[in-house]
Each structure stands twice: as C-alpha cells, then as structure tokens.
Amino acid sequence: MSYKIYLYDTDTDCIGSGTLSSTYVQSQLEAAAGQDVEVHISSVGGSAFDAIAIYDLLKKYNGNVITYIDALAASAASIVAMGGKQVVMSKYALLMIHKPMVGTGGNADELLKDVQMLNIVQARLAQIYIDKTGLDGVTINSLINAVTWLSADQALDLGFIDQVEDYSADITNSALIKNYVNTAPVFYQRCINKILTKKSNMNIENKELIEKTTSVLDKIMNFFKKVVNKQTITDKGTLHHAGELDEGTEVYNDEDMSSPAASDTYTTASGSKIAVQGGQVQKIVPPAADPDADPDADDDDDSEPSDKFKASKKPMDVQNKLQSIKAKLHAQNALLNEAKEALETANLRLKKTREEVKNDIRSDFSPEGSKRSNKAKTEPVPFFAPQTALAQNAVRKAVSK
C-alpha cells in the first residue's frame, strides 16, 4: 500500500509554508522509508524555491513516486507535480504555469538585480518543464510568458502529465492492454491511455486526434508483429508467417496475417521452392533437391571443366537463378517503397503537429476566484517600467552585464 502525502492549500499555508513546505515533505518521505509514495496536490502555488526543493526531494526518493493533480497545480505547485515518476491528473483539474513574480522595492540598481534574478529563476523552472515534456525551450517559455492554463487533455497532449484520471470503468480488455504496454516508453503509454479513456471529451469530440493516436498504436503493434513474426521474400512478394517456415506452416500476404497467401509455387532468393495450397505450405524444395534437376549433374561436374557459361546449358538452373534475382529485386523495391512512405508520412505529421500545438498552447481562461491568476492579468504596469525605447535599451544593457 502506498504512503500518501497531501499538499492541499489552507487559509494560511501554500507551497513553502506549513504542511506544504519542503521541510514537511522531507519528514514525510523519511517516514515513508522507501515505500511507494502518492503525492496529492491542490494548490495555487507559492514559493518557487521551496517548489524546486520539493521537486528535488521527490526525484531523489528511493521508492516510486506518483504525483496526483487533484484539482489545481498552479504556479509553483506545477513544479512540485513534475517531481513524480508518473504524473496523473484528474479530468476536472487544471494546471497553470506563468512567469515567476516577486514583491520588491528600492532604487534602480536593486530593481535591476531583481530582474536578473527573476530571469534566472524562470530559466530553471523552464528546464524542469522541458525535462518532463520534451518540448523545446522556445515553446516552453512562450507557455510561461502567456500565463497558460491547461486542461487535463491539453496537459497530456503537451507531455506535462502521463495519464488522465476520469473515474470511469475501462473499456473491454483495456486492463489487459495496459498491462501489456506498461513497460513501453512513456510517449506510447500516453497515446494508449488516450484511446482507452472511456467517454472522455477527447474521445467524443476530437475525432481527428483519435485517428492520429490510433495510427500511432497501430504502428506500435506492427512493430511488435515485426519482432515476433517472420518474413520470407519470394519472387511473387513477401510471405508472412509465425515462427520458422516449414511444411504445414500458415503463410499470409500481409503483416497483419489476415489474408492467406494464394495457392502457387514461390521461389525464394536462395532458390528454394515453396508450394502453397490453401494458405499452408505443402512442400519446400531446396535448390539441390529440385526434382527436375539433372541426376547426373555431379558426374558432369567431375568430367567437365568448371565453366559458368557451360553451366547455363541446364534450363532449370537458369530459371532458378532468374527467379532468385527477381525475389531479391522485389525485396529491395519493397524496402525502398516502405522507407519512402515512412518519410513522407513523418514529414506531414511533423508539420501538422506543430500547427496544432501553436493553436492549443495559449489559453485565455482564468478560473473565477483564483487570486494569483487574476493578479497576474490585472496588475497595472509598475511605475518604474521603462516606457521609451531609450530607457528600454538602457535596461537591456544593464541586465546583460
């Protein structure tokens, strides 16, 4: 059973104070003593430095850590959420990231030092998001600068979380599929979790995204099939089969092994002949055991000098050689076509995904009652903010020193 830690805001405490401080989390992890830990979060944020400390504690903990965003992980609380080996978010929860803030005062020199400090802090926070999502720095900083609110589905798409918790029963056989892919890379698990989530808004409304994730899952399963299943290249195409090719083996024309191979005689690249009837191998004839071969071939080789041109007088040998070459050419063409299609598909997906991310990453939604978000949007421009181009250039030069 997992050891549970609750980081819920109170009337007086937020991240960095009381039962949401790094000192408290450290004491709880020591009490857990290596057990699996569940960290449940519902917080508007707080101290960025304490959030980084908690993140570090969770990352260094010996046991497995799962962070749950139960209602809200905003500002510094979003950094704490990234500390889990797996991040699970309620379908009703929200995640918010923004630029770090500080209450300050003093002369121009002191204010410029605060600007430098805030830029450094933002760079460190951005790196945590980059490490979790795999997104580039430009994208992450654009999200931070825009004060971005993310729903569970959006957070899953961008890689901030690994799973959406929707409190509904899984679809048929979904538990079996989840167990099967538990050891797959996290990116694949995210895609599969989207497909297995029953009655979610994503599955109902976003049909285009469902098609994409289904395509990814199909590619994963095809990869497994390629590892487990065998292929034999012939002059009439590729024969797909499970295990080694032998008499009685079922052979198919497609990788999904749903279309039985046509009844015919197939020649492999090595010159072997495979007789197929009703989708099953009836007989395999190696080149040396060809029933039509000249029985005195060995005697002829002993009595005649070795000459490749003279060997061509055997029609069956010539035919076998031509069929073998044809099988090799067919295999090479198939590989080239497959590579070309894969490259074209990849280029199209990359372009389309980038456009969709640009459309989805910005959000103007600000939940009612969130003091932190309202302050970020309504706070007037500070009196010391440089307004003219000359003043702005002076600030830039001072910060860059």
Side-chain angles (χ1 to χ4, degrees):
M1 187 174 181
S2 299
Y3 189 92
K4 297 184 179 181
I5 302 174
Y6 288 88
L7 302 180
Y8 283 7
D9 282 353
T10 67
D11 293 338
T12 57
D13 295 329
C14 59
I15 299 296
S17 63
T19 56
L20 290 90
S21 67
S22 56
T23 303
Y24 173 78
V25 173
Q26 181 184 21
S27 66
Q28 290 295 298
L29 293 176
E30 289 176 353
Q35 298 180 61
D36 290 349
V37 171
E38 293 181 4
V39 181
H40 292 262
I41 302 168
S42 179
S43 173
V44 298
S47 168
F49 299 114
D50 235 50
I52 294 174
I54 296 173
Y55 171 87
D56 193 55
L57 287 169
L58 297 179
K59 282 295 184 182
K60 291 180 179 179
Y61 182 67
N62 291 330
N64 185 50
V65 177
I66 301 177
T67 52
Y68 289 86
I69 303 175
D70 292 341
L72 174 65
S75 188
S78 67
I79 293 295
V80 175
M82 301 300 104
K85 292 181 180 176
Q86 186 178 17
V87 184
V88 181
M89 186 173 178
S90 166
K91 67 181 292 185
Y92 309 107
L94 290 169
L95 184 145
M96 185 271 276
I97 63 176
H98 69 157
K99 295 173 73 70
M101 298 184 296
V102 63
T104 187
N107 60 37
D109 293 336
E110 292 169 338
L111 294 175
L112 286 175
K113 289 179 181 178
D114 287 339
V115 170
Q116 291 177 323
M117 180 271 291
L118 288 172
N119 287 334
I120 293 172
V121 172
Q122 178 169 335
R124 295 302 86 211
L125 301 179
Q127 189 60 54
I128 291 175
Y129 297 133
I130 291 170
D131 291 343
K132 175 60 183 174
T133 64
L135 297 174
D136 59 88
V138 173
T139 301
I140 288 296
N141 279 289
S142 69
L143 290 168
I144 293 174
N145 296 337
V147 187
T148 302
W149 290 85
L150 299 173
S151 66
D153 288 342
Q154 290 173 323
L156 183 66
D157 291 343
L158 293 174
F160 285 93
I161 66 172
D162 304 306
Q163 182 180 340
V164 176
E165 190 173 31
D166 70 350
Y167 317 108
S168 60
D170 291 331
I171 60 174
T172 305
N173 293 329
S174 65
L176 180 63
I177 297 173
K178 284 183 178 179
N179 290 333
Y180 183 65
V181 299
N182 273 343
T183 57
V186 173
F187 172 74
Y188 293 156
Q189 292 187 41
R190 291 176 193 152
C191 296
I192 294 169
N193 283 330
K194 293 178 192 177
I195 298 169
L196 299 182
T197 303
K198 184 181 180 182
K199 296 182 180 179
S200 71
N201 289 336
M202 181 182 298
N203 285 330
I204 294 174
E205 299 173 2
N206 201 336
K207 294 181 180 179
E208 184 177 356
L209 184 57
I210 295 174
E211 292 175 357
K212 286 184 179 180
T213 51
T214 303
S215 176
V216 172
L217 182 56
D218 288 340
K219 289 183 178 180
I220 297 170
M221 300 311 296
N222 287 337
F223 171 77
F224 290 140
K225 288 177 182 177
K226 288 180 180 179
V227 173
V228 176
N229 297 343
K230 303 290 185 181
Q231 298 179 354
T232 300
I233 305 297
T234 72
D235 59 329
K236 297 180 178 65
T238 304
L239 295 178
H240 300 269
H241 50 90
E244 298 300 326
L245 191 65
D246 203 350
E247 293 183 5
T249 300
E250 295 181 350
V251 288
Y252 301 85
N253 290 325
D254 57 336
E255 290 184 355
D256 294 334
M257 299 203 303
S258 59
S259 176
S263 299
D264 204 338
T265 300
Y266 300 80
T267 303
T268 67
S270 62
S272 298
K273 289 190 174 182
I274 304 171
V276 176
Q277 184 70 35
Q280 285 189 338
V281 176
Q282 302 298 316
K283 190 175 183 181
I284 300 177
V285 182
D290 195 324
D292 297 327
D294 187 352
D296 299 327
D298 293 339
D299 295 338
D300 292 342
D301 291 340
D302 293 337
S303 59
E304 296 179 7
S306 176
D307 191 329
K308 293 181 180 180
F309 295 100
K310 289 184 179 180
S312 64
K313 67 182 181 180
K314 302 176 183 178
M316 199 61 188
D317 288 347
V318 175
Q319 185 179 1
N320 286 341
K321 188 64 176 177
L322 289 174
Q323 289 174 331
S324 298
I325 293 173
K326 184 178 179 181
K328 291 178 181 178
L329 290 173
H330 178 85
Q332 292 173 354
N333 289 333
L335 289 173
L336 288 173
N337 289 333
E338 185 178 350
K340 182 179 178 182
E341 291 176 2
L343 285 172
E344 291 175 352
T345 302
N347 286 331
L348 290 174
R349 286 189 179 280
L350 283 173
K351 292 178 182 178
K352 199 168 188 179
T353 301
R354 182 172 291 278
E355 292 173 359
E356 290 177 352
V357 169
K358 287 181 180 179
N359 292 333
D360 292 340
I361 61 176
R362 293 180 179 274
S363 171
D364 293 329
F365 173 69
S366 177
E368 187 176 353
S370 174
K371 296 180 180 178
R372 187 173 297 277
S373 62
N374 290 337
K375 179 180 179 183
K377 288 182 175 297
T378 61
E379 190 175 53
V381 178
F383 72 93
F384 56 82
Q387 301 297 322
T388 66
L390 182 62
Q392 290 173 0
N393 289 334
V395 171
R396 289 194 191 97
K397 290 180 180 179
V399 172
S400 62
K401 290 183 180 179

